Amino acid sequence: MCWRLQPHVLKARDPAQYQVCITWLKSTYLWARMKRNPIFYQLPRGLSEAELEERLKALCLAQLRALADAQMVRFGDDGLSIAPLPLGTLMARTCVRFETVKSFARLGVGCGLAEVVALLADSEELRDAATLRRTEVKALFEVNCSSDIRFPLLNDKAKAKSKSNCAKIKTHAQKASLLLQLRAAGVPLGEFSGCENMLLLGARRVLRALIDFLVGEGHARPLCAAVVLRKCLERGAGWHDDSQVRVD
């Protein structure tokens, strides 16, 4: 809910307008469902509308506190008034999910292309595009072992790439990592081409937000890596590392 709530914090230009968030929540299907089926939301039956509204306010406040903990909004001295912070504004402007934006802070100054690929592959925006099916596991393992993969997924403690060291694909993030690398390397996705457009749409949005974040943080190395990855995914014609800066 956090990433949907943040744009309504931005609308409340006066930090005292906490009621804007409550008003929006009462206009959503969530409010209708809470009144129709409170048991689903672990609420007792028989609550009056005023009591349900108090529960809704508590839920809203918990989500706002999660945003505050992630440095996306700031509470006023009264503990209820709120104002957006730059990271929250970035999330609302780019429509990137809360958990994805939180993960940006994991990219340290020394991170390179491999870490940016891993972060992008693990983002919520790519989850639906990279849904893993049991029938794909064998084919993805062969992809992981191929020379087309620049950053292979290895078993724990494995250092060198070999077929025995390559990990079996078990998660959507691992599948997304391989497909992103195939696209960046200019290799046709073959049987996985059906999800290519959806994968690229999510990747564009996340990389746009990540690049804006890294510009603000002043982290040059991961910024160069993110720009290189975006360029490679857009062109789909092979890795095109910046000749002036090493990123991996």
Side-chain angles (χ1 to χ4, degrees):
M1 183 189 292
C2 287
W3 72 285
R4 296 184 183 276
L5 195 57
Q6 181 68 36
H8 297 275
V9 175
L10 292 178
K11 290 180 181 178
R13 296 184 181 181
D14 180 355
Q17 290 181 357
Y18 162 72
Q19 190 61 34
V20 168
C21 299
I22 302 298
T23 301
W24 171 71
L25 280 173
K26 291 184 71 174
S27 71
T28 65
Y29 190 56
L30 171 65
W31 176 240
R33 289 289 298 161
M34 285 179 68
K35 292 191 292 184
R36 178 75 59 97
N37 186 15
I39 298 292
F40 183 80
Y41 299 96
Q42 301 179 347
L43 300 175
R45 288 190 183 277
L47 293 178
S48 66
E49 186 160 330
E51 290 172 322
L52 276 175
E53 185 170 345
E54 287 302 314
R55 299 297 182 101
L56 186 69
K57 288 181 179 179
L59 174 63
C60 180
L61 188 58
Q63 297 297 313
L64 289 172
R65 293 199 184 283
L67 287 169
D69 290 343
Q71 301 297 310
M72 295 183 187
V73 300
R74 179 182 66 250
F75 277 92
D77 294 335
D78 59 3
L80 289 177
S81 60
I82 47 177
L85 293 175
L87 188 59
T89 303
L90 172 69
M91 181 174 73
R93 177 168 53 82
T94 57
C95 297
V96 173
R97 292 178 181 268
F98 177 62
E99 292 298 331
T100 301
V101 175
K102 279 177 61 179
S103 71
F104 291 173
R106 297 203 304 260
L107 281 181
V109 177
C111 291
L113 194 53
E115 291 80 9
V116 174
V117 170
L119 183 147
L120 178 59
D122 197 36
S123 64
E124 291 287 328
E125 285 72 10
L126 271 59
R127 181 179 292 272
D128 290 340
T131 300
L132 182 63
R133 298 173 178 83
R134 295 181 66 180
T135 55
E136 299 172 337
V137 171
K138 184 176 180 180
L140 288 169
F141 177 74
E142 294 300 325
V143 170
N144 191 26
C145 297
S146 72
S147 59
D148 298 322
I149 299 302
R150 182 170 178 176
F151 307 111
L153 307 171
L154 303 178
N155 293 317
D156 293 341
K157 298 182 180 180
K159 296 181 179 180
K161 180 178 178 178
S162 68
K163 194 159 187 174
S164 60
N165 287 339
C166 287
K168 293 182 179 179
I169 309 306
K170 300 178 181 179
T171 67
H172 81 278
Q174 291 176 318
K175 176 181 175 180
S177 175
L178 297 177
L179 297 186
L180 288 169
Q181 292 184 64
L182 287 180
R183 166 70 186 186
V187 178
L189 269 61
E191 64 183 282
F192 305 106
S193 59
C195 64
E196 185 172 7
N197 288 338
M198 193 174 177
L199 198 71
L200 288 175
L201 284 174
R204 286 189 192 107
R205 194 162 75 249
V206 174
L207 285 172
R208 176 191 171 197
L210 177 60
I211 288 169
D212 288 351
F213 170 79
L214 293 171
V215 168
E217 293 293 306
H219 293 171
R221 193 163 187 262
L223 174 60
C224 288
V227 171
V228 165
L229 180 58
R230 183 174 67 174
K231 185 187 298 184
C232 294
L233 290 175
E234 289 294 337
R235 294 184 178 182
W239 291 104
H240 187 74
D241 289 14
D242 191 326
S243 60
Q244 303 300 316
V245 182
R246 287 188 58 84
V247 296
D248 62 330

